[in-house]
Amino acid sequence: WPAAPRDLLHLMEPGDATRFEAALAAAAREPGRLRFEGRLVGASGKSRTVEIDGRLVEGGNARRTMLGTIRDVSERHEAEREIRESESRYRALFHSIDEGFCVVDMVFDATGAAVDLRFRETNGAFHRHSGLGDVVGRLASAAVPGLERVWLDGLGKVCAEGLSFRHSGRIEALGRI
């Protein structure tokens, strides 16, 4: 290897330097692309996450050269971490509430009328209150045959027009309030 890729080793955090050396060795055995993600430590001591994407090319004097890019992806990693934390908080809340809750995808016909819904996610309280078991991924027409039109029309307006929908009463198809 020319010195340039190996020069990065002293800038890397120790575990990442070991992984980078292994990636370089693998790329040398089977020439092709090198893709690596790791942390470089700057002069200030601050660590940044980088993505290295390179390609080996044959140079003169039987030397290989790596052409590629090093891109700082620290902000992307931070955003992904924040999304994971937010998702974790959402899941904890979603599954801890006492109200039955479900997330659905509406199915519309060619005229824009709501004709069915597919259960995307449900919480434990939804199962207890509705009596419906494992419905995630299923259509309401299969899980709740005879579901009253008022539910499809109301939920269809929520999805299509952003209108709120409140309906209380018995869901006859479930035999429950």
Side-chain angles (χ1 to χ4, degrees):
W1 281 103
R6 294 214 180 275
D7 286 346
L8 291 173
L9 291 173
H10 77 279
L11 298 174
M12 289 187 177
E13 292 191 3
D16 291 336
T18 302
R19 288 187 314 106
F20 186 61
E21 280 188 300
L24 285 173
R29 283 190 307 275
E30 295 181 28
R33 290 196 92 91
L34 168 80
R35 288 204 167 102
F36 180 81
E37 193 171 282
R39 294 168 311 252
L40 296 181
V41 181
S44 67
K46 186 177 179 185
S47 180
R48 303 293 292 176
T49 303
V50 297
E51 193 174 74
I52 299 171
D53 187 5
R55 179 172 57 88
L56 292 176
V57 295
E58 296 297 328
N61 299 328
R63 290 181 53 136
R64 289 187 185 143
T65 302
M66 176 172 284
L67 301 175
T69 59
I70 299 174
R71 184 172 52 173
D72 186 337
V73 293
S74 300
E75 289 179 14
R76 183 186 78 202
H77 272 251
E78 179 61 19
E80 289 169 350
R81 184 191 62 74
E82 288 174 5
I83 289 170
R84 282 190 305 274
E85 287 177 3
S86 176
E87 175 74 11
S88 177
R89 287 189 305 271
Y90 162 78
R91 294 254 170 248
L93 174 64
F94 182 79
H95 291 291
S96 69
I97 59 177
D98 293 331
E99 298 296 321
F101 198 82
C102 65
V103 178
V104 300
D105 290 322
M106 294 303 300
V107 179
F108 296 93
D109 66 14
T111 68
V115 294
D116 211 339
L117 60 89
R118 182 177 307 277
F119 293 97
R120 177 186 275 186
E121 189 173 3
T122 61
N123 69 357
F126 175 83
H127 296 288
R128 287 190 305 279
H129 295 309
S130 70
L132 295 173
D134 184 21
V135 294
V136 173
R138 295 178 59 200
L139 291 170
S141 58
V144 190
L147 180 65
E148 293 85 358
R149 185 82 225 161
V150 65
W151 295 103
L152 293 175
D153 291 342
L155 294 172
K157 288 180 181 179
V158 170
C159 291
E161 303 170 29
L163 300 175
S164 62
F165 168 68
R166 180 176 287 262
H167 179 75
S168 60
R170 189 169 175 83
I171 300 174
E172 294 296 329
L174 291 176
R176 294 172 174 248
I177 295 178

